Every structure is written in structure tokens, then in C-alpha cells.
């Protein structure tokens, strides 16, 4: 089910969409019970759980600090969603919304705006945490386990703010995901049909438990070289649980202390090619260029994005990295001085 037309007022739209979500999710739970799976929850209990989950979703609005490197690709003003996961007003969102943010606001229905501060930005997972600076007076979402979701299981996607919506989607695949921007996670969740208001949206199971945070619209949700099937990629909540205390304490996980070159790459017919070089990055300083094919990194053959990023992160964050490339008909070996990605990010004063 796609989101209902924006012409409907927000409360009515969310109510109708929520009822349809409830019917679909309850039918799925009942079917599981009929097949010998765990007993389906009562429709009243499920309605309460999904209503609570939906109520925990807020809008997120952020403004980047002056001179933020990320403004070149993400802009200076970003908006999306987040999910309240702590009774103290802790909100989980997708990290790129609050990357190098100077100001963060949380938006509730009824046009209430609550100021917030950045608690954590995690390079390794892509998660972001913000803390409300005034009481949200909202329930916190229960954290589920993405690993328990069955393929084809109906799930609820909820976005926040005055334009927030809810809809039904299905899990269509689960696999590792490598981004072109020096990013890789295991167990990413892919759903369909796609939502365009996916940034930081909450993905909930039929018990109202948070199982993922929205990251991307993708063209290949099914994966495996199948026909194009648009959908969304969600970062699984399972990646958060082991590092949540660490994020609150340190502002990032230890896994985020990793080498960064400053390139965007794509896989093309078994080759890994550079499609963007960040200005003043290690790659830029060393002379890497758009169109270069990366053959090896630190003597490790590279044929996929996953292989490239994992080879890069295998060593210390700040070190000499040897990159073998093919540029046209020429093969070259370049030496780069990688940097710790976290040290390249600008922060608001006092953070």
C-alpha cells in the first residue's frame, strides 16, 4: 500500500492508513497461527502496539554547520524522521540527516517543535542519535529483532512530522549492502513498495517493535541480478543493540574509527571504478581521478565494493595505503595517506 494522497488531512490519512496496516498485519499473524506458528495476538492488542509504535515516530529537521563538507552532497538543510527509543527523549534516526549538524529540531504532530542535540553519528552502521532538550511526552518504541522477520512478512513503515504517513510494505530480501560512499553493512533489509519519505523512517513488525531505520530508495530491492524492483533499504536494528551504550558514551562506535580515502565508487561488470573524488581528500591529494579502475589496495585484489571497503578498513585509520589503478591503457601505483573519517567531520561549537 502506498501512502494516502496528501490532499487528505494528516490525522485522517494516518488513521485510515493505520487501520489498513492493522488489518493486513493481523491477517498475516492469523495465517501464521493457522499454520502452526506462534499464536496471533488479538486485534485489540495489535492495534495498541502499532498505535504506540506510530506515536513514537517524529519528524527530524537539521541544519549543517557552516563549512560542512557533507553540505556538498546532502545540502545544508535536511529533513526526515526519527523514532523515540528512550523514555528520556533519545531519538534514533539515520545518520546522514544529522551529519555535521549545528541545529536539530524534532517535529511532533500539531506543529510542536522541540530542540535537540546530536548525541552520536556512527560511520560504521549509519545510525544517528539525538537527544530531545524538552520533554517529548511520547511513548518509546520497543526494539525488536530484524533477524526474526520472515521473507514476505508485511511490515509497517512510519514517517514523522506533520506530513508523516504510515503504509504497509513487505520484506523482499535481506543481504549485505555496500554503498558507493565508503560504507558497508551486513543484513540490510530491503522492502517494497518504495517510500520516498524514507530517511529515518521506522520499520515495525506486527507487534509494533522497531526492526529497522530507513536509509535509501533503491532500484534493485530484490537483488541477485533480478529485474529492476524498486524499494527501500533499512538499516537493521540488530546493529544498534550491541553498540547503543557505546554510542551514548563516545558519540560513535569504535568500528567507526576507520580509514577514509574520500572516493565514491561503483561496480561495473566486475570492475570497481571511481565516480567521484572529494575535494581536498586523501584521494584528491594523491591524484586519483574519476574513471580510474581500482585493481588492488594494499596488495589485495579488488573486484567488488565490499572487497574494496573491507581491505581499506583492515588496517589502522591513519596510514599509508597503496592503491593500484588502471587509467585508460596505463597501470599505476599510488600511495595515499588515509585519515580517520571521524576527524574530518565538522561539529557545532560545544559538541
Amino acid at each position: 500500500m502506498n501512502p494516502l494522497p496528501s490532499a487528505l488531512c494528516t490525522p485522517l490519512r494516518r488513521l485510515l492508513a493505520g487501520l489498513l496496516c492493522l488489518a493486513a498485519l493481523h491477517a498475516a499473524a492469523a495465517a501464521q497461527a493457522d499454520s502452526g506458528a506462534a499464536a496471533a495476538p488479538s486485534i485489540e492488542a495489535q492495534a495498541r502496539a502499532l498505535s504506540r509504535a506510530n506515536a513514537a515516530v517524529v519528524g527530524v529537521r537539521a541544519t549543517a554547520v557552516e563549512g560542512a563538507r557533507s553540505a556538498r552532497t546532502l545540502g545544508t538543510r535536511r529533513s526526515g524522521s526519527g523514532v523515540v527509543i528512550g523514555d528520556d527523549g533519545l531519538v534514533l534516526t539515520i545518520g546522514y540527516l544529522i551529519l555535521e549538524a549545528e541545529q536539530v529540531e524534532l517535529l511532533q504532530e500539531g506543529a510542536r517543535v522541540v530542540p535537540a542535540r546530536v548525541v552520536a553519528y556512527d560511520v560504521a552502521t549509519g545510525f544517528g542519535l539525538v537527544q530531545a532538550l524538552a520533554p517529548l511526552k511520547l511513548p518509546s518504541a520497543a526494539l525488536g529483532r530484524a533477524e526474526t522477520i520472515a521473507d514476505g512478512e508485511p511490515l509497517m513503515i512510519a514517517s514523522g512530522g506533520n506530513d508523516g504517513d504510515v503504509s504497509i510494505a513487505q520484506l523482499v530480501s535481506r543481504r549485505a549492502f555496500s554503498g558507493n560512499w565508503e560504507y558497508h553493512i551486513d543484513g540490510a533489509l530491503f522492502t517494497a513498495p518504495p517510500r520516498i519519505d524514507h530517511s529515518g523512517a521506522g520499520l515495525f513488525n506486527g507487534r509494533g517493535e522497531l526492526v529497522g531505520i530507513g536509509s535509501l530508495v533503491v532500484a534493485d530491492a530484490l537483488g541477485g541480478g533480478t529485474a529492476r524492483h524498486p524499494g527501500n533499504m533499512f538499516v537493521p536494528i540488530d546493529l544498534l543493540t550491541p553498540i547503543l551504550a557505546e554510542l551514548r558514551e563516545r558519540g560513535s562506535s569504535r568500528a567507526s574509527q576507520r580509514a577514509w580515502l574520500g572516493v565514491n565508487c561503483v561496480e561495473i561488470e566486475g570492475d570497481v571504478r571511481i565516480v567521484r573524488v572529494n575535494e581536498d581528500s586523501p584521494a584528491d591529494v594523491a591524484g586519483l581521478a574519476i574513471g580510474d579502475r581500482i585493481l588492488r589496495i594494499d596488495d589485495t585484489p579488488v573486484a567488488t565494493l565490499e572487497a574494496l571497503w573491507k581491505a581499506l578498513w583492515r588496517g589502522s585509520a591513519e596510514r599509508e595505503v597503496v592503491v593500484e589503478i588502471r587509467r585508460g591503457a596505463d597501470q599505476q601505483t599510488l600511495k595515499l595517506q588515509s585519515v580517520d573519517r571521524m576527524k574530518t567531520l565538522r561539529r557545532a561549537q560545544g559538541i
Side-chain angles (χ1 to χ4, degrees), residues 36-100:
S42 70
I43 194 166
E44 293 82 9
Q46 195 171 21
R48 287 193 298 270
L50 292 174
S51 176
R52 179 186 176 96
N54 189 33
V57 183
V58 296
V60 175
R61 188 165 60 197
T63 303
V65 67
E66 185 177 354
R69 183 190 295 270
S70 58
R72 298 168 188 169
T73 53
L74 299 172
T76 57
R77 297 181 183 275
R78 301 106 183 235
S79 61
S81 302
V83 182
V84 181
I85 62 168
D87 294 334
D88 60 350
L90 185 68
V91 173
L92 176 66
T93 186
I94 196 67
Y96 60 73
L97 289 179
I98 59 167
L99 177 59
E100 299 184 298

Side-chain angles (χ1 to χ4, degrees), residues 255-273:
S256 289
Q257 290 182 280
R258 53 174 51 161
W260 180 74
L261 299 183
V263 292
N264 290 49
C265 298
V266 295
E267 294 177 27
I268 303 176
E269 298 180 352
D271 291 342
V272 174
R273 297 182 183 272

Side-chain angles (χ1 to χ4, degrees), residues 133-153:
L133 298 179
L136 289 174
K137 301 177 182 178
L138 293 175
S140 58
L143 302 186
R145 293 170 56 201
E147 66 180 8
T148 65
I149 305 171
D151 290 345
E153 181 177 336

Side-chain angles (χ1 to χ4, degrees), residues 2-4 13-14 57-58 79-82 94 96-97 157-167 193-202 213-217 232 234:
N2 292 321
L4 293 169
R13 181 171 68 245
R14 299 191 82 162
V57 183
V58 296
S79 61
S81 302
I94 196 67
Y96 60 73
L97 289 179
I157 299 175
S159 59
N162 285 330
D163 295 325
D165 251 318
V166 292
S167 67
R195 285 276 294 267
I196 60 171
D197 57 342
H198 55 277
S199 299
I213 290 291
S215 178
L216 299 169
V217 172
N232 293 116
F234 286 82

